[in-house]
Amino acid sequence: MPSPRFLTLALLITVEAASAQDLTLPPLDAGKSDPVFTTYAAPLERSEYLVDEGYHLRFYDSNQALALTSDSAGSWGIGFTLDGMLAHAVGDFVREPVVRQSFANLARFDFEPFHDLQVDATFAVESSRQSILSLQIANVSDRPKRLGIYAFATAPDSGFDHASLTSAGDGLVFGHREPPESWSESPPPEYEETFHDLLMLGAPADAYGGYATGLPALLHELNRGLVSGDLTSRPDALVLMRDLSIAPGEVASWRVVRAVTPRSQGSEPMVAAARTLTGISLTALERQAADLLVNAPRLELTADEEMVYRGALALARQSMLPAEGRLDHNYYVFSREPTWSWGHDGQVFHESLSMLAYVYLDPQSAMASQRVFMQEQHEDGYIPYRAGPYVVRTFPVDGERTTSAPFYSWTNWEVYRVARTRVAEAASRRFLVDAFQSGADFVEFLLRERDRDGDGLLEWGGHAVLESVRDSLVPIWDLLGKDDPRAPSLVEALDLNAMVVREMRSLALMANALGE
């Protein structure tokens, strides 16, 4: 867990951002014991909700292969052979990987699988459906090298769907299932749980195979010299292999693409799209990812702090998804990889405290995220507990709707204070006008609906344990009624009253800025 200092850095930034001209991104130089964030998801403009595969770069485990892992789609990775030697586990490498740059959707790292073979690698999640791993392999010896490189995929716990397993010449098509309950607590009807998958090389494979007992059988075959093309034995591991002859001083290129698509859409468009991806420029993708940090405040940090800071910014950006379904604005989920069903339905006031930092990266996007609450606000001022593209959650108890702890107008005011210096005045003022009206309506709702005894002090309502953001492991809730979702509503809520005072003070600041 980040220390309070790191949380303070992420939430209470007050220094000015650097300009594009003086932005420098020194390499992270992160090894396996450094605090670098290496989970990746598609960039905002190429993301979608119903199909969205992200991956974690497992570069640090000496006993396992260099791989991209996922929570429900299995793993994929690479390994090498040379002169009868097999370098499969990271610990087999002459030099283990070091991460040089890590962004929300892209990593650059390097390693040496064998002596005198230096590999510069870039991994990018290009879209919610496609990812690519690109290697530049340099022979720095005075002798030619004949190197075998293989890409493998291993099945998730639910296993591969073998019905669609076929060879595409330069790749293998297979399938997997993502259970609806792992995607959302209330999966929308539009969600499809069966997917076509693709593992593809940038050129036809010299050999491929499937292995029913997974990696042990695959490693045994690799040690013998891969000759099998068997795809009939319901494999738990798949492999594609290619031989490269690299002259002294030469640099060879090698690419792997991993793709997914809903089964109802067929595998052919997925394969065609993946083939175009084998030729795109990853330099442009990295520049795009790095440019986002131009607006991040420049802080004096140690090397470890810099890794945590960049990781926090990457996670905030990575959690943001574009307008989809019922929503007209971009929104966030709590996690895309792994997919946490409770936090995958949409956004909540108290999670939107992250906008206090995120606004420095993308003020337009931060304002748009806050507009999700305005869009879902009811005529009586009520704002649902959670708002997402396919699900809106109100968690009613005894007919009373649940909202969330009111960090709303305070967050809107702080977002505006940063955005007004970074976007067109008309855009920031329009946001402030709408936020002021929405916030005033919400406070009126709280004053009207959360003071049951009419004494001027408010109590939590609805599913009060959720609404109070205190969860259930609080002694006073046990005293008032263990496991009773209304327990917090039985007492005057000091925290709620303090929050509403802060909301009203923020509205006063808005009114003053608007000349009201």
Side-chain angles (χ1 to χ4, degrees):
M1 285 290 293
S3 72
R5 180 182 180 194
F6 289 132
L7 295 175
T8 300
L9 290 174
L11 292 175
L12 301 178
I13 299 167
T14 56
V15 299
E16 289 299 314
S19 68
Q21 287 72 32
D22 64 9
L23 175 70
T24 57
L25 289 173
L28 295 175
D29 295 333
K32 60 184 179 183
S33 27
D34 290 315
V36 62
F37 179 68
T38 59
T39 296
Y40 307 97
L44 176 59
E45 62 274 14
R46 292 190 298 280
S47 293
E48 53 188 306
Y49 180 78
L50 296 173
V51 183
D52 186 36
E53 204 58 72
Y55 296 96
H56 173 68
L57 175 63
R58 189 182 66 206
F59 75 99
Y60 45 80
D61 189 335
S62 298
N63 297 314
Q64 298 195 68
L66 178 62
L68 289 309
T69 69
S70 71
D71 60 348
S72 55
S75 302
W76 60 289
I78 56 171
F80 306 85
T81 64
L82 179 69
D83 297 333
M85 296 182 293
L86 175 64
H88 180 76
V90 167
D92 298 335
F93 294 0
V94 169
R95 180 172 63 82
E96 296 187 5
V98 175
V99 175
R100 303 301 181 183
Q101 294 292 355
S102 183
F103 303 106
N105 69 301
L106 182 145
R108 186 155 47 79
F109 54 101
D110 53 62
F111 57 93
E112 294 180 43
F114 300 107
H115 287 292
D116 299 327
L117 282 170
Q118 299 176 352
V119 181
D120 287 320
T122 302
F123 170 70
V125 183
E126 191 274 340
S127 72
S128 283
R129 301 183 181 218
Q130 299 183 127
S131 300
I132 184 168
L133 177 64
S134 177
L135 307 181
Q136 299 292 312
I137 309 159
N139 178 2
V140 297
S141 74
D142 57 2
R143 296 187 300 111
K145 304 278 189 181
R146 186 166 177 80
L147 181 69
I149 312 180
Y150 61 90
F152 67 88
T154 57
D157 291 340
S158 59
F160 284 143
D161 174 10
H162 305 97
S164 58
L165 180 57
T166 57
S167 170
D170 48 358
L172 296 173
V173 175
F174 49 104
H176 81 281
R177 175 180 176 269
E178 302 215 6
E181 62 272 15
S182 72
W183 200 255
S184 166
E185 289 205 332
S186 12
E190 297 89 342
Y191 178 73
E192 294 186 40
E193 61 182 286
T194 55
F195 292 83
H196 285 303
D197 294 73
L198 176 68
L199 186 70
M200 175 180 281
L201 304 182
D206 293 319
Y208 63 86
Y211 301 90
T213 55
L215 282 178
L218 168 60
L219 295 178
H220 175 73
E221 187 70 21
L222 288 167
N223 277 313
R224 293 176 55 225
L226 183 65
V227 294
S228 172
D230 178 27
L231 296 177
T232 63
S233 54
R234 301 184 63 81
D236 295 315
L238 302 168
V239 66
L240 295 160
M241 191 163 190
R242 187 166 176 81
D243 293 324
L244 293 180
S245 294
I246 311 176
E250 184 184 5
V251 177
S253 298
W254 196 74
R255 286 190 168 190
V256 189
V257 174
R258 177 77 167 86
V260 300
T261 195
R263 177 170 294 181
S264 65
Q265 297 179 17
S267 62
E268 292 80 6
M270 173 185 67
V271 172
R275 286 190 177 129
T276 66
L277 191 62
T278 60
I280 70 166
S281 168
L282 296 189
T283 301
L285 289 181
E286 182 176 357
R287 185 66 259 174
Q288 181 186 39
D291 282 346
L292 189 64
L293 294 182
V294 168
N295 293 322
R298 306 297 297 276
L299 307 174
E300 294 295 327
L301 302 173
T302 66
D304 281 359
E305 290 170 344
E306 179 71 19
M307 292 180 199
V308 174
Y309 179 57
R310 287 202 211 175
L313 296 173
L315 179 57
R317 179 63 169 191
Q318 184 182 105
S319 299
M320 194 67 68
L321 289 158
E324 185 175 339
R326 61 183 292 123
L327 296 184
D328 299 330
H329 310 282
N330 66 207
Y331 66 98
Y332 61 80
V333 295
F334 297 2
S335 172
R336 292 169 67 183
E337 177 56 45
T339 302
W340 175 32
S341 61
W342 165 253
H344 205 242
D345 282 341
Q347 55 185 54
V348 185
F349 284 161
H350 51 279
E351 310 296 343
S352 289
L353 292 172
S354 59
M355 294 302 105
L356 301 181
Y358 180 68
V359 66
Y360 285 90
L361 289 184
D362 190 339
Q364 292 281 15
S365 180
M367 290 189 294
S369 175
Q370 291 299 105
R371 283 189 176 278
V372 166
F373 297 121
M374 302 177 202
Q375 178 180 339
E376 295 300 328
Q377 189 168 25
H378 294 194
E379 288 187 5
D380 64 356
Y382 166 78
I383 298 177
Y385 179 87
R386 175 170 290 146
Y390 296 96
V391 176
V392 174
R393 304 296 297 273
T394 62
F395 297 106
V397 174
D398 297 336
E400 187 171 74
R401 299 159 295 176
T402 303
T403 186
S404 186
F407 298 113
Y408 181 48
S409 290
W410 176 54
T411 301
N412 284 338
W413 171 249
E414 295 299 325
V415 165
Y416 165 75
R417 287 180 61 212
V418 176
R420 68 183 175 182
T421 65
R422 288 165 168 78
V423 303
E425 181 181 358
S428 63
R429 184 173 180 84
R430 186 163 54 251
F431 171 78
L432 188 64
V433 168
D434 295 341
F436 175 67
Q437 185 60 59
S438 177
D441 291 344
F442 181 56
V443 163
E444 290 293 341
F445 167 82
L446 294 174
L447 296 175
R448 185 175 63 251
E449 301 293 334
R450 294 299 185 262
D451 183 14
R452 296 175 191 82
D453 55 10
D455 66 353
L457 293 175
L458 308 185
E459 308 90 32
W460 296 109
H463 192 304
V465 171
L466 283 180
E467 188 169 284
S468 66
V469 200
R470 297 288 292 278
D471 296 326
S472 57
L473 300 179
V474 181
I476 189 173
W477 300 166
D478 292 343
L479 292 171
L480 293 171
K482 187 173 178 60
D483 300 322
D484 181 355
R486 302 211 62 164
S489 68
L490 301 177
V491 294
E492 308 288 6
L494 173 61
D495 46 1
L496 174 58
N497 285 278
M499 291 174 192
V500 172
V501 168
R502 171 57 65 188
E503 290 289 280
M504 296 176 77
R505 288 179 176 172
S506 298
L507 289 168
L509 292 169
M510 291 183 190
N512 183 61
L514 292 169
E516 296 284 345

